[in-house]
Amino acid sequence: MFVTALRDFNYDTELQVKTGQVFELRNHQNDGLLLKHRHVAALDSQDPAMIAKLPRCGECGALFENDWQRDRCGREHESGALTAERQERRATHVVAPQSRAGQRLRLAGA
Ligand SMILES: [Zn+2]
């Protein structure tokens, strides 16, 4: 099931989600509790084609419900707001500053 994170939290050891981030539940034991306690909400559309069109962070590839949430994710990469631990975990997804994603962010004034 695809859901939106309603707050920042660590979903599991591999995935730290941010508010507004769209991700797929991985059938963990406490998935039901996440829904019950409103850490996440099920997306209205579970259509993968629709979900693929959501705003995507050019740095880490995370999907978001809204452009501004995606832009915030990009700004956090640029400002180094992520903790060293998270940067280490995401190291494989980091793109060089001269990449197109970085240029888009600078053009957007982020
Ligand atoms: Zn990101």
Side-chain angles (χ1 to χ4, degrees):
M1 180 198 292
F2 285 98
V3 296
T4 309
L6 301 178
R7 62 180 71 190
D8 297 1
F9 67 96
N10 293 341
Y11 178 62
D12 59 21
T13 54
E14 272 115 50
L15 184 62
Q16 298 85 43
V17 295
K18 299 176 185 178
T19 305
Q21 186 171 339
V22 172
F23 67 103
E24 189 169 19
L25 293 178
R26 298 169 175 176
N27 292 316
H28 289 318
Q29 211 167 14
N30 62 352
D31 281 354
L33 287 175
L34 291 176
L35 285 158
K36 183 181 170 192
H37 294 301
R38 301 287 295 168
H39 279 47
V40 301
L43 285 190
D44 291 337
S45 170
Q46 296 290 319
D47 178 1
M50 293 288 292
I51 287 158
K53 288 179 193 162
L54 289 170
R56 182 186 294 274
C57 175
E59 295 285 329
C60 67
L63 295 170
F64 290 91
E65 271 204 300
N66 299 296
D67 285 349
W68 68 267
Q69 290 161 332
R70 185 268 319 274
D71 294 345
R72 183 179 61 187
C73 191
R75 276 198 303 277
E76 285 178 9
H77 296 298
E78 289 221 327
S79 68
L82 295 173
T83 66
E85 186 188 7
R86 288 175 90 173
Q87 282 179 340
E88 193 176 290
R89 285 182 181 165
R90 287 161 183 251
T92 53
H93 304 294
V94 170
V95 294
Q98 61 271 32
S99 74
R100 281 172 47 212
Q103 283 171 3
R104 274 202 307 279
L105 285 169
R106 280 190 292 281
L107 286 172

